[in-house]
Amino acid sequence: MTKTLVIAEKPSVAQDIVRALTPVAGKFEKHEDHFENDRYVVTSAVGHLVEIQAPEQFDVKRGKWSFAHLPVIPPYFDLKPVDKTKTRLNAVVKQAKRKDVTDLINACDAGREGELIFRLIEQYAGGAKPLGKPVKRLWLQSMTPQAIRDGFDALRSEQQMAGLASAARSRSEADWLVGINGTRAMTAFNSRDGGFFLTTVGRVQTPTLSLVVEREEKIRKFISRDYWEIHATFGAQAGEYPAKWFDPKWKKSEDVEARADRVWSAAEAQAIANAVRGQQATVTEESKPTTQASPLLFDLTSLQREANGKFGFSAKTTLALAQSLYERHKALTYPRTDSRALPEDYLPVAKQTFEMLADSGMRHLAPHALTALNNNYVRPSKRIFDNSKVSDHFAIIPTLQAPSGLSEAEQKLYDLVVRRFMAVFFPSAEYTVTTRISTVAPHSFKTEGKVLVKPGWLAIYGKEAADEVEGGKDGDKGQNLVPVKPGEMVNTLAVDPKGLKTKPPARYSEATLLGAMESAGKQIDDDELREAMQEKGLGTPATRAAIIEGLLTEKYMLREGREIIPTAKAFQLMTLLRGLEVEELCRADLTGEWEFKLSQMEKGLLSREAFMQQIAAMTERMVKKAKEYDRDTIPGDYATLESPCPNCGGVVKENYRRFACVGKPGAEPCGFSFGKSPAGRTFETAEANALLRDKKIGPLEGFRSKAGWPFTSEIVIKYDDEAHNYKLEFDFGDDKKGEESGEIVEFEDASLGACPICGSEVHEHGSNFVCSKAVPTAAQPTPSCTFKSGKIILQQPVEREQMTKLLETGKTDLLDKFVSMRTRRAFKAHLAWDKEAGKVNFEFAPSKFPPRKPAAAGAAAKSIAAKAGKTAASAKKAAKPAAAKKAPATKTAAAKAPRKAAAGKAPSAALAAVIGAEPVARPEAVKKMWEYIKAHNLQDPKDKRTIVADDKLRAVFGKDSAGMFELAGILGNHLGGE
C-alpha cells in the first residue's frame, strides 16, 4: 500500500496534524521521529534543516577576508545540513526516500520561509537527481482540528506554489550574495591597516540601520529655537473657558517648525498679551458632528507596533507570543501575515467567533461580544471582508477555540487582538466638535471642544477611550465648553505668553521603526496609504523582528528604555557606505524595491532569473567600489573631542579610522593618534573623551581577537619612551600588581558578604571580586587568602547582587549570557562555590530530558559473552545492566592504553635541567615549566605574559625571553623529537 509523507515545520505542528487526521484517517502509531497509519506518514523539521552554500570550487576557503577572491557569485548553490539538526534531517530524508511513500505534502508554515524549508529538504533528499515524487501544499490559517482537516480537503498544487517557491529561493540566495560579499568586502576594507574589524552588512538589515542612523543625525544636528504661545482665559455669563492665540491668515511655508499659533519673539508675544488684556471679545462658533471609525484588524507589524506602544513588548517577544497563541493554544489565526482584512466568505466564521466569545466566561470581553450579536453588528463590510486585500494569509483574529492557561503576557496579547477584532464590527464613535473663535480686534483666539456623543467601538476600551480624544491632554481640545449666547461679549480674564522650545524628531522605538520598515522609511500615518506601500517595505512581517534583533546583537544599535539608539559602529558603517557610494545598502526605498520585486515574483509577474541578475550586478558593483577606493580617508561628519591630546595638549579630531591630534592652533600635530576600533570594537565619542581624560577606560566588552575570539579588557593610554608619545594598550586587569608592588588597597564599597575560604569581607577590586585578605591592605599588608572571581566571565557580566547571592547561598541565579570559548555558543549556568577545587565553578541546571539508554548495550554484552564461549545462561547474565556498563568501559580502556604508553617523551638535556629527566607528555612538561617559572619569579613584572629567561631557561628558549603562548611550541622541540 502506498503512503503520503506529510512534513511539518515543527514537532508540535506534526502532533496537531496527527490529532486532526485521526478521526478521518485512522489511528497513528508513534515512532521515534514520525507518526504512521495506513495512509499517512507524518514527520517534521525543527525550522531550517538545510542551508545554501557556494559549491566547493567557488567557495573561498583561505583569505576570505581579503579582496583577492571577491566577489563570490557562484552559478548555482549547493546545500549543506545545519550542524545542530543533522540527526533530524537524516530522519526526515529516510522517510522521504521510502519506496512505499509515493507523494509528499508540504505542511510547513504557510509563507515564504515555510516554502523554502520544505523545498531545500526535498532537494537534499533527492541528491544529484530530483526526488521525483509529486508534492501538494497544505495551507493553514488556523491550527484548530477542523481548520487542519479543511486544509487537507483543499490542498494546493505544486504549480500554484511555483511563484512563492521562486521568491523564497531568490530571497535566500540574494541575502547570501549581498551578506557574504558585502561583509567580506567591508571587513577587508576596514582591516587594511592591520587587525581584524568584522563589519557585517545585509540586504535588509543595513538599510534598516540607515533609517535609525539618519534619524539620530537629525537629532544631533537639530538646533532648538525659542517660540511663544499666548494662552488666554475668557469669562462668559455661563462661566470661563480657555483659548489660544492663532493667526487666521497663516499658510504653510518652507519653515517646517512654523505653526499658526507660534510667534518667534518674546516682545511680539508680550505685545499681543498687553493688547488684549482686560478687553472684551466677540465670539463666533461652529459645531458639527464627526465620526471616528475603529482601526483596521491587525497584521503582524501593526500588532507588534501596538504591543510595543502599550506594553513595551519587543517585536521579537510579540511574534513569539503570537506564535504560541497560534500553535500551542490554537487561540489565534496564523500570525506572520501582512493582511488586515478577511476573506469575503468568512462572515459565518466571524459570527461563530463572537458566539464563542459571548459564551467564553471571559467577563471583560463577553459583554461586548453579546452586544454585537444582539444588535446585529456582525454583517458584511468591504472594510473588513475584501478578497483583494487578502494575500496568502488574512488578518490576525481569534479562532473558535477559547484559550485557557495563558501566561500574563499571552493574555495581554490575546486581549489586544480580541478587542481589535470586536471593535472593527462596532459602529463608529460619534462626537460633536465645536470650534469657537474669540476675537479682540485684530487678534483671534481659538478654542476646540470635542464631546463624545456615542462611544460606539470605544465602549470596548472603557477608560482607555479617554486617550482616543486627540489632543485631550493639551488643554485646548477635548474639553466640554460652557455655552455663549448669540451676540454675547466675553471678558478677557487672563492672558499669559508661554515661552517654549522646538523639539528634535523623536528617536525610533520598536513600534515606530517597524512602521518605518513597513513603508521603507516614508512617514505614512494613514492606514490605507501604508497598506499600499507595504509591498515596498523592508523585509516582511515575519522577518522584521529578527532583523531588529540582529542589529542589536551585532551592537549596531542599543535599547535604552523604549528608544533605539545607533552606536558609533553604526555611524562608521554608514560613513563607509556613503563614502563608497553604495546607495543600495544606504537607502531604504531602494531596498524596498527589491522586496516589491520578490512579491511580484510570488504572483508570477517577474522572473527569478531577472531578479537574480540584478542582485548579482549590485553585488559586483558593491565589491568593486570597496576594492578600488584609493583615497586615504572616507569623507564624513566627524567629531572633535573635548579632551586635549595627552602628549601636546592640542585638539584631537576624529577621521574615518582614527582619533588623531591636529595640534594646537598655529602648531604642527605631534603625531599622537589611536584607532577608533581596536580589536573590532568601535569607541563611542564619549568613551574616547573619557579615555583621553582619565588615561584609561573599562573593562569594556565586545573585543575580538584576530582568530575571532571574544574578550573583555580595560584600555589604557601609556607613554612610550621609544616613540616619545602616548599609545593605546589593552590592560587585562591583573589585580596582582598591587600585591607585587606592595601598594595598599583601600576598599570604598560595602562588603558583598563573607569569603567562602576564610570568612573575611569580599569587595570589588579592579576587574574582580576579591577577599579583603587576598590583597595588601592597611590591616594586613601581606595577603593570606586566594579568593578571587571575575566580574565578567565568558562575556557574562556578574552583578554585585549575584555575587552576594553566591556568597550567601553557594550559587547565583541561572545566568544566560555565557559564551563558550570553544564552540562560541551561548549557554546558561549557575556560578557556584566549588569547595573541593577552592574556586568558583559552573553548575548546570538538570536537563529536562533524561539521557537515553544506549539501545546496543545489551547486544554488545551478548556479543562479548558469545566470543568468550559462554553458555546461553552466562550470556543472559552478561546482558544485565552491570555487565552492559562494563563492556564499553573495557573497550574504552583498551583503546586508550596504547596512547598512554606512547605519551611520555624523554626531555632534552637542556630541558631536563629544568623539569627533570623522566619521560613526560607535553602538557605535563608545560605544567612543570610553569612551576619552575613561578618558583623563580621569572615573569616580567610589566608584562606577565613574558617570561624572562635565567641561565637554565636561556638554554631551552635559545633567547633571553619568550611569550607564554610560545612555551608549548618550544617544549615540543625538546621532547624526544615530538
Side-chain angles (χ1 to χ4, degrees):
M1 183 182 286
T2 61
K3 297 187 180 186
T4 298
L5 175 64
V6 182
I7 301 178
E9 190 166 320
K10 301 178 195 70
S12 61
V13 178
Q15 289 173 343
D16 291 335
I17 289 171
V18 167
R19 278 193 285 268
L21 290 181
T22 297
V24 294
K27 189 177 178 183
F28 282 80
E29 189 177 334
K30 188 178 187 303
H31 298 268
E32 190 171 358
D33 293 304
H34 69 281
F35 301 86
E36 187 168 354
N37 70 4
D38 292 341
R39 287 174 58 189
Y40 294 105
V41 178
V42 181
T43 187
S44 75
V46 277
H48 278 281
L49 302 184
V50 184
E51 57 192 5
I52 61 172
Q53 67 174 359
E56 197 164 333
Q57 63 268 40
F58 299 102
D59 199 15
V60 180
K61 295 293 184 191
R62 296 183 179 276
K64 69 178 181 181
W65 302 112
S66 75
F67 285 117
H69 305 287
L70 297 179
V72 182
I73 303 178
Y76 63 93
F77 283 90
D78 278 345
L79 302 180
K80 69 170 181 176
V82 175
D83 287 339
K84 290 192 294 185
T85 52
K86 272 185 184 175
T87 308
R88 172 64 74 167
L89 175 63
N90 292 336
V92 175
V93 168
K94 181 182 174 183
Q95 300 305 318
K97 286 184 170 181
R98 279 170 50 169
K99 287 185 179 177
D100 61 338
V101 167
T102 55
D103 51 351
L104 310 179
I105 292 177
N106 174 5
C108 293
D109 284 1
R112 195 193 284 169
E113 216 57 26
E115 195 68 24
L116 183 65
I117 287 169
F118 174 85
R119 298 276 175 162
L120 294 183
I121 293 171
E122 182 201 12
Q123 182 185 337
Y124 183 83
K129 59 180 183 179
L131 197 58
K133 298 182 181 183
V135 175
K136 292 283 179 70
R137 184 63 154 106
L138 178 66
W139 197 259
L140 297 178
Q141 303 280 18
S142 166
M143 289 301 295
T144 61
Q146 188 56 50
I148 293 171
R149 288 191 285 270
D150 292 345
F152 270 88
D153 291 338
L155 294 170
R156 299 185 180 187
S157 70
E158 197 160 6
Q159 291 72 29
Q160 285 175 281
M161 308 313 300
L164 184 66
S166 291
R169 283 187 185 273
S170 299
R171 194 280 309 155
S172 176
E173 292 175 11
D175 285 351
W176 191 98
L177 287 170
V178 176
I180 292 288
N181 285 284
T183 296
R184 290 176 181 180
M186 299 310 150
T187 300
F189 187 93
N190 278 336
S191 306
R192 282 198 304 197
D193 294 347
F196 177 75
F197 182 15
L198 179 64
T199 310
T200 57
V201 299
R203 184 183 62 88
V204 178
Q205 77 163 40
T206 307
T208 300
L209 181 64
S210 78
L211 294 174
V212 181
V213 170
E214 284 166 14
R215 175 65 60 88
E216 193 69 18
E217 285 172 336
K218 286 179 182 174
I219 293 169
R220 290 183 182 184
K221 290 175 183 174
F222 184 82
I223 300 170
S224 185
R225 295 160 65 189
D226 294 328
Y227 71 92
W228 285 260
E229 292 177 352
I230 302 100
H231 292 252
T233 302
F234 291 99
Q237 290 176 21
E240 299 176 2
Y241 62 90
K244 186 163 67 171
W245 176 90
F246 78 108
D247 179 0
K249 296 175 185 174
W250 179 83
K251 289 181 180 177
K252 281 188 176 179
S253 65
E254 290 182 8
D255 185 350
V256 294
E257 292 175 337
R259 303 281 186 279
D261 56 6
R262 290 180 179 178
V263 295
W264 297 101
S265 77
E268 186 183 353
Q270 196 61 55
I272 293 169
N274 293 341
V276 301
R277 189 175 285 113
Q279 303 295 312
Q280 285 197 318
T282 58
V283 178
T284 59
E285 69 179 22
E286 181 185 358
S287 294
K288 59 180 181 182
T290 187
T291 61
Q292 185 182 347
S294 77
L296 296 172
L297 293 168
F298 284 125
D299 63 0
L300 178 58
T301 303
S302 57
L303 178 61
Q304 287 169 320
R305 294 180 68 187
E306 187 88 356
N308 181 255
K310 271 197 164 68
F311 312 127
F313 292 167
S314 71
K316 179 183 177 184
T317 298
T318 298
L319 176 55
L321 292 170
Q323 197 72 21
S324 173
L325 287 163
Y326 163 66
E327 269 181 30
R328 183 165 161 239
H329 298 286
K330 318 293 183 289
L332 293 185
T333 57
Y334 186 73
R336 296 167 186 256
T337 175
D338 59 359
S339 299
R340 302 187 71 178
L342 298 175
E344 288 165 16
D345 61 358
Y346 224 69
L347 181 64
V349 181
K351 280 186 177 171
Q352 289 174 323
T353 309
F354 270 91
E355 287 164 3
M356 178 277 291
L357 292 168
D359 295 337
S360 67
M362 290 183 274
R363 292 181 184 177
H364 58 303
L365 302 173
H368 303 300
L370 202 58
T371 301
L373 291 169
N374 292 340
N375 291 284
N376 193 29
Y377 288 164
V378 189
R379 49 182 183 262
S381 161
K382 203 70 175 169
R383 191 166 181 265
I384 306 167
F385 303 99
D386 187 346
N387 288 345
S388 68
K389 292 180 180 176
V390 175
S391 57
D392 296 323
H393 311 283
F394 51 72
I396 304 169
I397 63 169
T399 66
L400 297 174
Q401 196 157 311
S404 60
L406 301 185
S407 69
E408 185 183 349
E410 286 171 336
Q411 188 69 55
K412 281 182 175 177
L413 201 73
Y414 180 74
D415 286 358
L416 205 61
V417 174
V418 172
R419 287 180 197 273
R420 178 66 66 93
F421 170 71
M422 291 194 294
V424 83
F425 288 96
F426 268 59
S428 295
E430 294 179 18
Y431 299 93
T432 299
V433 176
T434 301
T435 304
R436 179 178 292 172
I437 308 295
S438 307
T439 306
V440 183
H443 299 294
S444 300
F445 291 78
K446 184 189 285 185
T447 308
E448 288 185 340
K450 192 174 185 182
V451 178
L452 186 62
V453 178
K454 287 185 181 177
W457 63 273
L458 288 174
I460 293 169
Y461 292 88
K463 290 179 182 177
E464 293 176 45
D467 294 334
E468 300 291 340
V469 181
E470 294 172 17
K473 291 175 277 188
D474 297 342
D476 61 344
K477 293 179 184 177
Q479 62 268 340
N480 287 308
L481 297 180
V482 297
V484 174
K485 294 176 183 176
E488 181 184 348
M489 299 290 286
V490 297
N491 296 314
T492 309
L493 302 179
V495 60
D496 178 29
K498 278 190 179 178
L500 301 163
K501 287 181 178 291
T502 56
K503 294 178 181 177
R507 285 195 175 106
Y508 281 113
S509 63
E510 279 203 47
T512 55
L513 181 56
L514 285 164
M517 291 173 75
E518 188 177 40
S519 56
K522 292 182 171 61
Q523 295 301 308
I524 299 173
D525 295 322
D526 183 84
D527 275 346
E528 310 293 329
L529 277 177
R530 190 186 296 116
E531 202 171 298
M533 264 303 295
Q534 66 186 10
E535 281 194 340
K536 296 191 177 186
L538 291 175
T540 65
T543 60
R544 285 174 192 140
I547 290 161
I548 292 172
E549 289 298 323
L551 289 166
L552 291 162
T553 301
E554 286 294 333
K555 299 292 188 288
Y556 280 121
M557 308 188 309
L558 301 171
R559 276 195 192 99
E560 282 192 12
R562 292 195 184 182
E563 291 185 332
I564 289 178
I565 301 171
T567 62
K569 184 180 177 183
F571 279 94
Q572 192 169 8
L573 175 59
M574 285 305 131
T575 299
L576 172 60
L577 296 176
R578 290 167 187 167
L580 297 178
E581 298 175 347
V582 186
E583 284 190 323
E584 294 90 338
L585 283 177
C586 292
R587 282 178 50 192
D589 57 337
L590 286 178
T591 303
E593 290 291 335
W594 297 117
E595 205 66 49
F596 174 67
K597 287 171 182 173
L598 286 169
S599 69
Q600 295 292 92
M601 199 185 303
E602 288 181 18
K603 296 167 186 168
L605 303 175
L606 178 71
S607 77
R608 172 165 147 70
E609 292 71 26
F611 177 80
M612 292 311 300
Q613 282 171 8
Q614 291 172 321
I615 290 289
M618 169 192 173
T619 303
E620 287 174 338
R621 180 179 173 276
M622 176 175 56
V623 172
K624 188 176 183 217
K625 285 278 189 182
K627 193 185 285 191
E628 295 179 358
Y629 192 86
D630 57 358
R631 278 169 279 173
D632 291 337
T633 188
I634 299 281
D637 185 11
Y638 294 117
T640 299
L641 298 188
E642 296 166 7
S643 302
C645 169
N647 195 47
C648 72
V651 176
V652 177
K653 287 192 172 183
E654 175 190 12
N655 58 43
Y656 178 68
R657 296 185 189 280
R658 306 185 73 77
F659 289 101
C661 174
V662 295
K664 291 180 178 178
E668 288 293 312
C670 70
F672 168 75
S673 73
F674 61 95
K676 282 166 64 175
S677 304
R681 184 198 185 279
T682 305
F683 282 118
E684 300 291 334
T685 305
E687 290 175 339
N689 266 318
L691 177 60
L692 286 189
R693 183 185 67 239
D694 304 331
K695 305 289 192 297
K696 69 173 183 178
I697 190 169
L700 303 175
E701 295 180 74
F703 298 107
R704 284 187 179 270
S705 69
K706 287 184 180 179
W709 297 109
F711 67 92
T712 299
S713 178
E714 287 190 359
I715 288 189
V716 296
I717 290 181
K718 287 184 176 177
Y719 192 76
D720 185 339
D721 292 323
E722 288 183 20
H724 302 296
N725 210 325
Y726 283 83
K727 70 174 185 178
L728 181 147
E729 287 184 1
F730 288 105
D731 184 338
F732 294 95
D734 187 353
D735 298 324
K736 287 188 178 179
K737 286 177 185 173
E739 179 185 330
E740 286 161 1
S741 66
E743 188 178 328
I744 298 299
V745 175
E746 290 183 22
F747 296 113
E748 296 178 358
D749 64 312
S751 169
L752 292 150
C755 170
I757 296 175
C758 71
S760 300
E761 292 182 347
V762 173
H763 292 270
E764 283 188 58
H765 176 51
S767 58
N768 291 301
F769 298 107
V770 299
C771 172
S772 58
K773 291 189 175 177
V775 293
T777 61
Q780 182 182 301
T782 305
S784 62
C785 185
T786 59
F787 178 79
K788 178 168 78 170
S789 183
K791 284 156 70 174
I792 298 177
I793 298 173
L794 294 183
Q795 298 190 62
Q796 166 73 60
V798 182
E799 305 295 341
R800 285 178 60 91
E801 295 76 17
Q802 291 299 334
M803 180 50 62
T804 300
K805 191 161 193 171
L806 185 147
L807 297 173
E808 285 177 358
T809 66
K811 67 179 179 181
T812 64
D813 294 334
L814 189 66
L815 306 177
D816 61 0
K817 292 185 175 65
F818 295 108
V819 178
S820 165
M821 288 289 283
R822 185 174 62 83
T823 65
R824 306 192 196 185
R825 289 182 185 161
F827 67 91
K828 299 178 183 179
H830 300 274
L831 291 176
W833 175 247
D834 185 337
K835 192 174 180 182
E836 286 185 20
K839 63 179 182 179
V840 172
N841 261 334
F842 294 116
E843 182 181 299
F844 296 96
S847 172
K848 294 177 186 175
F849 308 102
R852 190 182 295 160
K853 292 177 182 176
K862 285 179 182 176
S863 170
I864 292 165
K867 284 179 185 176
K870 302 276 183 177
T871 63
S874 62
K876 192 174 180 183
K877 188 178 180 182
K880 287 184 180 178
K885 285 179 186 173
K886 283 177 187 173
T890 307
K891 189 175 179 182
T892 307
K896 285 186 178 176
R899 171 177 273 197
K900 194 170 183 183
K905 301 279 186 180
S908 67
L911 183 56
V914 179
I915 67 168
E918 291 291 319
V920 66
R922 182 156 29 179
E924 186 64 24
V926 172
K927 185 179 176 185
K928 288 186 175 185
M929 175 66 78
W930 270 110
E931 287 170 359
Y932 179 87
I933 290 164
K934 290 193 173 180
H936 293 81
N937 201 22
L938 297 178
Q939 283 176 276
D940 187 335
K942 292 182 181 176
D943 181 3
K944 295 290 184 185
R945 290 169 292 183
T946 300
I947 295 101
V948 180
D950 61 6
D951 290 339
K952 286 183 180 180
L953 287 189
R954 203 171 286 112
V956 177
F957 293 171
K959 51 186 179 180
D960 290 336
S961 65
M964 61 190 289
F965 300 115
E966 295 179 72
L967 280 186
I970 292 171
L971 298 191
N973 297 328
H974 287 269
L975 288 171
E978 184 184 319

